[in-house]
Amino acid sequence: MNAKKLIQNGLLNAMTENTRTTSEVQQLSKLYHNQFNSIAESVRKIQADSTRTHSEKAPLYKKVLARIDNNLADTAALMVDNVENAKGKLHRDIETTLNSGDRITRLHLATHLRDNKSNFQQLVNEDIRYLQASNEFPSSFYGVKDDDFKNVTKNALYRHRPELKAMTDTVSRSEAHLTRLIDYMNTLKTGTNLLLNNEALETRVDENNI
């Protein structure tokens, strides 16, 4: 959506609501929605104000830009922090899962995996202890191609711990949602800057007429 349409129409609820993101991002998206539309309304009012000259409108546009840089950007920053925290927790939960159990057992099973590489996928899918063992060494130790190793172990992890798959999907959706909201913010800022600069230029003296 271009800047002119964003300023004219604001954001629809569907553009900021996403019930499949983290609960914190959902709540902050509501705040972001209200802030964004309030700022867009202010820009429309400044544009429609026929009592002020173009130069008199300039400080009003600057106030709006400050609200984007402060209020709206702060809300987006809180969402960034939340998504990063969720990613960190997800990473820790995955590491905890993969490193659980007795290490001697993991090393023993890793050797069994190496000696039975044709059954590598079946073993890690059927028993989480084999998945944990596979985390002990790089793919080359098991005689499995690196890409295949990553795909097989990732799918096995999600098979054994579906809650980690659900959280991975939630984090991914939250990141994508946040990227869209930041794009909206940057577009609004660019559009407001253009209004400020264009209206200021309309009052500029043409040097060829002097």
Side-chain angles (χ1 to χ4, degrees), residues 142-153:
Y142 304 104
V144 180
K145 291 181 180 179
D146 192 55
D147 287 344
D148 292 340
F149 179 84
K150 290 177 181 177
N151 288 331
V152 168
T153 53

Side-chain angles (χ1 to χ4, degrees), residues 20-204:
R20 301 173 72 193
T21 60
T22 68
S23 58
E24 290 83 357
V25 167
Q26 290 175 37
Q27 291 301 316
L28 288 168
S29 291
K30 294 177 183 178
L31 174 61
Y32 179 97
H33 180 271
N34 292 334
Q35 289 174 327
F36 190 104
N37 284 351
S38 175
I39 291 171
E41 182 181 13
S42 294
V43 175
R44 292 195 299 271
K45 287 180 178 179
I46 296 169
Q47 285 181 285
D49 187 350
S50 59
T51 69
R52 287 182 170 85
T53 64
H54 297 310
S55 60
E56 288 173 331
K57 289 182 180 181
L60 301 182
Y61 284 124
K62 288 181 179 178
K63 287 184 68 175
V64 169
L65 288 169
R67 288 174 62 192
I68 295 174
D69 286 338
N70 295 323
N71 300 348
L72 202 58
D74 283 351
T75 301
L78 288 174
M79 281 190 272
V80 170
D81 287 343
N82 175 259
V83 171
E84 288 302 312
N85 289 337
K87 286 171 66 177
K89 183 180 184 306
L90 174 62
H91 178 74
R92 290 190 298 273
D93 288 349
I94 290 174
E95 287 300 305
T96 298
T97 299
L98 293 177
N99 293 317
S100 295
D102 178 69
R103 185 145 194 262
I104 298 299
T105 300
R106 293 202 305 271
L107 291 171
H108 172 73
L109 293 178
T111 302
H112 185 72
L113 277 174
R114 181 196 61 189
D115 296 338
N116 295 272
K117 64 180 181 181
S118 61
N119 295 322
F120 182 88
Q121 182 172 349
Q122 179 183 349
L123 290 170
V124 297
N125 276 336
E126 290 181 351
D127 193 328
I128 193 172
R129 292 175 300 175
Y130 279 108
L131 172 63
Q132 293 161 342
S134 73
N135 192 49
E136 288 293 329
F137 299 101
S139 58
S140 57
F141 177 82
Y142 304 104
V144 180
K145 291 181 180 179
D146 192 55
D147 287 344
D148 292 340
F149 179 84
K150 290 177 181 177
N151 288 331
V152 168
T153 53
K154 181 180 71 173
N155 291 334
L157 173 68
Y158 293 154
R159 179 188 181 95
H160 294 297
R161 294 288 185 268
E163 70 277 10
L164 295 179
K165 174 67 165 66
M167 180 51 68
T168 298
D169 291 343
T170 298
V171 169
S172 295
R173 287 190 295 264
S174 298
E175 284 188 296
H177 179 67
L178 179 56
T179 297
R180 285 193 297 273
L181 296 189
I182 292 175
D183 285 344
Y184 294 147
M185 178 179 67
N186 290 336
T187 301
L188 176 62
K189 184 174 181 178
T190 298
T192 304
N193 261 316
L194 285 173
L195 288 171
L196 169 63
N197 296 332
N198 288 342
E199 295 199 356
L201 286 173
E202 289 184 27
T203 66
R204 186 172 181 171

